Amino acid sequence: MVAAGELLARFRVRAAVVVWLLAAGSASAELVLGPERFVQANGADIVVPGYSVPSFVDWNNDGLKDLLVGQGGNYNSPAVRVYLNQGSPSEPVFSTYSYVKTSGGDPVGYVGHECSCAALGLYPRAVYWDGDARKDLLVGQLDGTVMIYRNVGTDAQPVFDDGTFLQALEGDQKVNIDVGDIAAPTVVDWDNDGLRDLLVGQEAGGLYWYPNAGSNTQPDFQEGVEIGVEGGGSFVVAHQQSTPVIMDLDGDGRKDLLTGNLPGQLLFYPNVGTDAAPLFGDYSQVEADGVPITVDAITGASPRSRPFVTDWNGDGLLDVLIGAGDGKIHLYQGVPDAATMALLAVGALGLLFRRRSSTLPRDRA
């Protein structure tokens, strides 16, 4: 039972975010989310055209994590922005942004799709894809396809090729991966065989796993498998639109699911299967500051929450960034729960006692 007034949304985290996805790092703490804030640049809330899809990664290798944001949709052109961190690891500060570009100087945008009318611009995630120690860009597209943009620059100054459609086996031939609409990809070793697989969310709320039968530098994706649920059947996120974050969120050693959905909520699905063969049980809605998380949208758009888990300020607590139909970056920072605060207080009192004891006059022989 959670005590009255105690912040909710509590999950014990024992595992780092997937190593191949450039993400939070290895913060390990009890996640209790504080009130909603908005990430700012130049003292004003960041608002990108269309739908925002944030992540947090050291883009230029200066030791500071930067803000990577997909934008577009709702009749706005798709692109990927980078806001470089000009503050510190504990206090990120942003001012101007630049667009992620290809070697030809063009911003990364839709490939093979002209419409910018629907509920996604680009869904970008920075990854180390091919073993060359240069960060690449994994991008989900509105039409359900997934692109990989390989870095032809340096790890500190990324510049990308024109992109390649990711393919998977279908029958006896390879075809472009297509999950229907609004692809939300992430990289994870789903079956614990040591190979990174591809997991892709989509508009209708399903999750598709593409097993890797190749290597971690030359992936060879097999036919997509729909993720299941306890009791049989296919998994579907409540209220549609799956945007998966995969990590152990309850400390049982099994990978769980954190996802957004169409009405802008943040949902936690515990793994009731095994770590190597996950199955998801009933969900609970994640809260922040005692209030269920529901992000907003501008008029004419649906919220469609897109979460990213990170350690925003280097305090060892996991925080959550959420992009949505309002174009803003919603930030929910982790705060210690009551038990952790009590331990910290005991530690502080012990330190104070030791300091005071060291200043007391000693008995003389």
Side-chain angles (χ1 to χ4, degrees):
M1 180 67 68
V2 179
E6 184 175 344
L7 303 180
L8 302 179
R10 182 182 308 173
F11 305 111
R12 177 75 61 182
V13 178
R14 297 292 188 188
V17 176
V18 181
V19 67
W20 302 288
L21 187 66
L22 305 187
S26 57
S28 178
E30 187 166 324
L31 176 61
V32 181
L33 299 179
E36 178 184 61
R37 295 173 50 198
F38 296 101
V39 180
Q40 296 190 330
N42 281 327
D45 294 349
I46 292 174
V47 183
V48 305
Y51 291 81
S52 56
V53 183
S55 57
F56 199 43
V57 58
D58 185 356
W59 189 254
N60 58 352
N61 291 8
D62 65 350
L64 301 176
K65 291 181 181 178
D66 309 301
L67 193 63
L68 185 70
V69 188
Q71 68 175 55
N74 199 30
Y75 297 98
N76 293 280
S77 297
V80 181
R81 295 184 178 195
V82 176
Y83 292 84
L84 295 179
N85 184 355
Q86 299 174 339
S88 67
S90 60
E91 294 184 5
V93 175
F94 307 103
S95 57
T96 59
Y97 64 88
S98 60
Y99 287 112
V100 175
K101 295 183 178 181
T102 66
S103 58
D106 298 319
V108 170
Y110 278 140
V111 175
H113 202 284
E114 298 299 327
C115 178
S116 62
C117 57
L120 178 69
L122 297 176
Y123 195 105
R125 292 291 185 254
V127 296
Y128 285 116
W129 189 258
D130 50 15
D132 65 358
R134 294 179 292 182
K135 61 180 71 69
D136 306 303
L137 197 65
L138 181 70
V139 177
Q141 298 200 132
L142 167 64
D143 62 357
T145 57
V146 180
M147 303 284 297
I148 185 68
Y149 290 86
R150 289 179 172 84
N151 186 353
V152 295
T154 66
D155 196 43
Q157 294 181 313
V159 178
F160 299 95
D161 66 9
D162 291 331
T164 303
F165 286 100
L166 289 186
Q167 294 193 324
L169 193 66
E170 186 174 295
D172 59 356
Q173 61 181 346
K174 287 295 186 74
V175 299
N176 291 346
I177 290 173
D178 186 347
V179 295
D181 289 302
I182 307 184
T186 190
V187 177
V188 59
D189 182 2
W190 187 256
D191 55 357
N192 291 3
D193 65 352
L195 299 175
R196 58 182 184 182
D197 308 307
L198 190 68
L199 187 73
V200 188
Q202 49 96 257
E203 168 74 2
L207 284 175
Y208 290 85
W209 165 46
Y210 294 89
N212 181 5
S215 68
N216 284 328
T217 57
Q218 293 182 317
D220 179 12
F221 296 117
Q222 303 303 291
E223 193 158 356
V225 178
E226 285 190 272
I227 300 303
V229 294
E230 185 180 20
S234 298
F235 173 83
V236 178
V237 167
H239 309 297
Q240 301 184 321
Q241 181 64 70
S242 54
T243 52
V245 173
I246 304 297
M247 57 194 303
D248 181 11
L249 291 165
D250 55 12
D252 64 359
R254 297 177 290 181
K255 56 181 73 75
D256 305 304
L257 170 67
L258 191 69
T259 179
N261 64 3
L262 191 150
Q265 299 167 324
L266 186 62
L267 307 180
F268 166 64
Y269 285 87
N271 183 358
V272 296
T274 66
D275 193 50
L279 292 173
F280 297 119
D282 293 335
Y283 73 90
S284 58
Q285 187 174 348
V286 178
E287 301 181 354
D289 203 20
V291 178
I293 291 175
T294 302
V295 295
D296 297 321
I298 61 171
T299 302
S302 50
R304 299 179 185 268
S305 41
R306 279 87 185 239
F308 186 84
V309 177
T310 188
D311 183 357
W312 179 255
N313 57 357
D315 63 357
L317 299 175
L318 292 181
D319 313 304
V320 180
L321 295 170
I322 299 181
D326 59 2
K328 296 184 178 183
I329 312 299
H330 304 249
L331 171 62
Y332 302 88
Q333 290 187 254
V335 296
D337 68 355
T340 303
M341 290 299 292
L343 289 173
L344 290 173
V346 170
L349 286 173
L351 177 62
L352 180 62
F353 176 77
R354 288 193 298 273
R355 286 179 175 174
R356 287 182 174 176
S357 296
S358 67
T359 62
L360 293 176
R362 297 182 180 181
D363 294 335
R364 296 182 180 179

